[in-house]
Amino acid sequence: MSRILITGKNGQVGYELERSLQGLGEIIALDRSQMDLADLDQVRDVIRRIKPTLIVNPAAYTAVDKAESEPELALRINGEAPGVMAEEAKKLGAAMIHYSTDYVFDGSKDGPYVETDPTCPINAYGSSKLAGEQAIKATGIPHLILRTSWVYSTHGKNFLLTMLRLAKEREELSIVSDQFGAPTWSRTIADTTAHIVAQSLTANDQQAWWQGRSGLYHLTAQGTTTWFGFTEAIMAHATINNKPKLKPIQAKDYPVPAKRPTNSVLSSRRLMDTFCGLPQWQEALKLCQD
């Protein structure tokens, strides 16, 4: 029987993974108090004790703006810790699924990014996540690195919940309208991961399955919008009596410590051709809000 270790079980994706992966093996889901990615020795010790056959790592340092003032901590959690997990997985003969981000790109491409496009992060968070990708790949273990974007859920801190809260407090909301991407529900990420894990477990030769599919994939909802368009859709589904007026603004008029890519659109064609389909972002948002 497979033994699946999930990190960061209280995060947006980890919370959904614990549900989605049920029935696919013995699930051991840990929070930061049980496995703190900032403590690399603890990461090693926990993996050696649990001896998983698959490590699923959604845990991350995700405070994009704060990372500008804490680059070393972001690098340890997002860059070094995944490398340590991969090293321990190699000793156990285990596989690893890890989540990365659109922020490994600078956003200057005209059109969706594909997996072979050159990376060029423009903030500390993106640099730390790229370091994690590289560390896992360097170990040579069976792995899937799933890059996603604009993650939201009904749990934790995210754009959806922030907009719903602000909508009740303000008469007008100014929203950036010149950054493009695909809002992706955390449950879409978790359910897609479960589809992939199920496929690996039903393969006649699991080793060959992993050898043939290991690598990098983009996993986002389909379609493209802006933060302004995302907010419009959120408000259309929201049950709020007096909805605020929405005002489109440019990113330069909303200064934040970390620079964001203008284009965060990722092509998920490789993942869909290899594993399974993905929903349109509007459909997933409606399901999430219903």
Side-chain angles (χ1 to χ4, degrees):
M1 189 179 186
S2 60
R3 176 175 286 186
I4 302 172
L5 169 61
I6 303 171
T7 67
K9 74 172 189 175
N10 293 327
Q12 290 188 80
V13 179
Y15 179 82
E16 295 289 353
L17 280 167
E18 189 173 4
R19 180 194 65 86
S20 295
L21 293 174
Q22 291 298 326
L24 296 176
E26 179 189 357
I27 307 297
I28 300 161
L30 305 179
D31 61 24
R32 189 190 299 173
S33 70
Q34 297 163 303
M35 184 176 173
D36 184 352
L37 269 60
D39 185 341
L40 301 183
D41 288 334
Q42 186 188 44
V43 171
R44 289 189 184 92
D45 292 343
V46 168
I47 294 172
R48 289 173 187 178
R49 174 170 53 81
I50 292 174
K51 296 180 173 60
T53 56
L54 174 64
I55 299 171
V56 183
N57 180 43
Y61 182 112
T62 57
V64 176
D65 289 317
K66 201 174 178 184
E68 295 298 306
S69 59
E70 294 182 336
E72 297 87 1
L73 181 59
L75 183 61
R76 193 181 324 137
I77 293 171
N78 292 344
E80 295 171 25
V84 168
M85 290 183 212
E87 289 165 7
E88 294 302 321
K90 189 171 188 175
K91 294 171 188 172
L92 294 168
M96 183 170 176
I97 297 176
H98 175 75
Y99 302 89
S100 191
T101 175
D102 53 302
Y103 282 21
V104 300
F105 297 113
D106 65 9
S108 63
K109 183 180 179 181
D110 183 15
Y113 281 95
V114 296
E115 289 82 355
T116 53
D117 282 327
T119 52
C120 184
I122 55 175
N123 56 44
Y125 168 74
S127 296
S128 70
K129 292 297 288 184
L130 180 58
E133 291 185 11
Q134 294 167 337
I136 293 166
K137 186 178 178 182
T139 64
I141 63 163
H143 70 275
L144 299 174
I145 295 168
L146 306 175
R147 286 182 186 147
T148 190
S149 71
W150 295 20
V151 180
Y152 67 89
S153 71
T154 56
H155 181 85
K157 290 182 180 179
N158 59 75
F159 188 82
L160 167 67
L161 296 184
T162 298
M163 289 303 105
L164 291 174
R165 175 176 58 79
L166 291 177
K168 295 173 183 175
E169 299 172 0
R170 300 182 186 176
E171 294 180 357
E172 182 176 281
L173 297 177
S174 297
I175 311 293
V176 172
S177 62
D178 60 350
Q179 291 174 345
F180 298 84
T184 305
W185 187 17
S186 59
R187 186 170 295 179
T188 298
I189 298 169
D191 286 352
T192 302
T193 303
H195 276 297
I196 294 170
V197 172
Q199 288 177 28
S200 75
L201 294 174
T202 55
N204 291 329
D205 186 337
Q206 286 192 36
Q207 190 173 3
W209 187 95
W210 279 98
Q211 284 176 344
R213 292 162 182 79
S214 272
L216 183 62
Y217 297 85
H218 291 167
L219 192 180
T220 67
Q222 297 304 283
T224 303
T225 190
T226 62
W227 292 110
F228 183 81
F230 186 22
T231 307
E232 283 187 314
I234 290 169
M235 294 306 156
H237 295 308
T239 52
I240 298 170
N241 289 332
N242 298 308
K243 294 179 182 179
K245 179 185 176 185
L246 302 181
K247 177 186 174 185
I249 60 169
Q250 294 187 318
K252 65 180 177 61
D253 298 323
Y254 186 74
V256 286
K259 194 176 178 185
R260 263 70 165 176
T262 299
N263 174 25
S264 282
V265 182
L266 306 179
S267 168
S268 298
R269 177 49 52 197
R270 183 175 186 230
L271 183 142
M272 293 195 291
D273 286 347
T274 307
F275 300 115
C276 60
L278 290 163
Q280 292 290 317
W281 73 265
Q282 299 96 323
E283 295 169 9
L285 175 63
K286 189 171 186 302
L287 283 172
C288 178
Q289 287 190 258
D290 282 349

